Amino acid sequence: SGRSVTLVGEQGVGKSQIVQTLADRLLDPMQQVPETLRFRQVFMLDASAIITAAPGRGEVEELVSAILGEAYTAKNIIIFLDHAEMFFQDGIGSVDISSLLIPTLEAGRLPIILALDEQAYLKINKQNNKLANVASRISIQPAEKPETIRVMQHHLIIKEYQSHVTYMYQALEKAYDLSERYIHDVAMPGRALVLLDAAADYAESGLVTSRSVEQ
């Protein structure tokens, strides 16, 4: 299906991770997925990176148009546009190319996943409600504690290897509790992951403990 969706949620809530999980499932022959989506590749585009590469409106439109055109021709691509709010408003570090994106979404020939935060979504739709009409909204809620702990455990598989440390389970619970109390500009599970990553610098003989997190 060419139907597009908009993932709406606070920073750190896991919008990009959801799309990464989808991408992995679509390419895994053991997973049960709709035949219309099987073996499709998710092509991730970061709006900030595109704007950095092509700083002018004309250059951004030309680059994005070329990417979307190639993806449509390939027939097996799903476009994931992260930080999509940067393409719906003019400003420092943002370029309004909605005149290109909205018709593309409206046509429905290329499946596109957009990710943006709640405030940006509301602002964009207040100015022009076409986005809500051409892409189904999926709200992503902050994770509760059990889910956040599971996300942290999965995250640590790579983190422990990279940092040459071992995390105690108590460190995960402490990271959740303290980030809930002190970090408010990022949602769960992102806020807990920020604190968990920082705690690696305070490991004691290679162990990241609850004391490491507190420090």
Side-chain angles (χ1 to χ4, degrees):
S1 168
R3 185 60 174 159
S4 296
V5 299
T6 304
L7 302 182
V8 181
E10 300 171 55
Q11 180 185 350
V13 81
K15 300 185 292 294
S16 300
Q17 185 56 51
I18 287 170
V19 179
Q20 182 62 60
T21 301
L22 169 67
D24 293 341
R25 289 191 64 181
L26 293 182
L27 294 176
D28 185 348
M30 303 304 292
Q31 294 286 345
Q32 290 189 346
V33 298
E35 286 303 318
T36 53
L37 295 177
R38 186 172 294 283
F39 300 125
R40 287 212 181 202
Q41 297 181 53
V42 177
F43 194 66
M44 298 192 175
L45 302 177
D46 189 316
S48 58
I50 290 177
I51 290 170
T52 300
R57 181 197 299 271
E59 290 90 340
V60 171
E61 283 191 342
E62 187 177 336
L63 178 56
V64 173
S65 181
I67 292 170
L68 297 180
E70 288 189 25
Y72 174 69
T73 302
K75 302 298 183 190
N76 69 330
I77 301 294
I78 298 171
I79 292 290
F80 171 45
L81 196 55
D82 205 2
H83 303 118
E85 63 270 13
M86 294 180 177
F87 282 159
F88 286 90
Q89 57 196 2
D90 282 319
I92 298 173
S94 65
V95 177
D96 186 355
I97 58 168
S98 56
S99 58
L100 167 64
L101 290 177
I102 293 294
T104 303
L105 292 163
E106 217 163 15
R109 292 192 293 265
L110 175 67
I112 299 175
I113 302 170
L114 301 98
L116 35 77
D117 65 50
E118 180 79 29
Q119 292 304 313
Y121 183 80
L122 293 175
K123 183 179 179 182
I124 290 166
N125 276 293
K126 188 175 181 179
Q127 295 170 344
N128 182 341
N129 65 2
K130 285 187 176 180
L131 178 59
N133 296 330
V134 296
S136 302
R137 169 179 172 154
I138 299 176
S139 296
I140 311 300
Q141 300 301 321
E144 299 293 336
K145 187 170 183 175
E147 185 182 356
T148 299
I149 295 289
R150 286 196 297 272
V151 171
M152 286 194 282
Q153 288 173 323
H154 181 75
H155 176 78
L156 291 183
I157 295 172
I158 298 174
K159 182 64 180 176
E160 289 185 329
Y161 175 78
Q162 290 176 335
S163 300
H164 306 291
V165 295
T166 299
Y167 281 81
M168 305 295 288
Y169 184 80
Q170 293 88 338
L172 278 64
E173 294 209 321
K174 184 64 72 172
Y176 181 91
D177 294 340
L178 292 183
S179 65
E180 182 83 326
R181 190 182 308 170
Y182 295 113
I183 302 176
H184 303 294
D185 58 343
V186 181
M188 288 294 184
R191 66 171 64 162
L193 293 176
V194 167
L195 192 51
L196 201 66
D197 284 350
D201 293 335
Y202 298 90
E204 303 169 354
S205 308
L207 283 181
V208 179
T209 64
S210 58
R211 175 177 161 80
S212 306
V213 177
E214 287 173 344
Q215 288 180 302

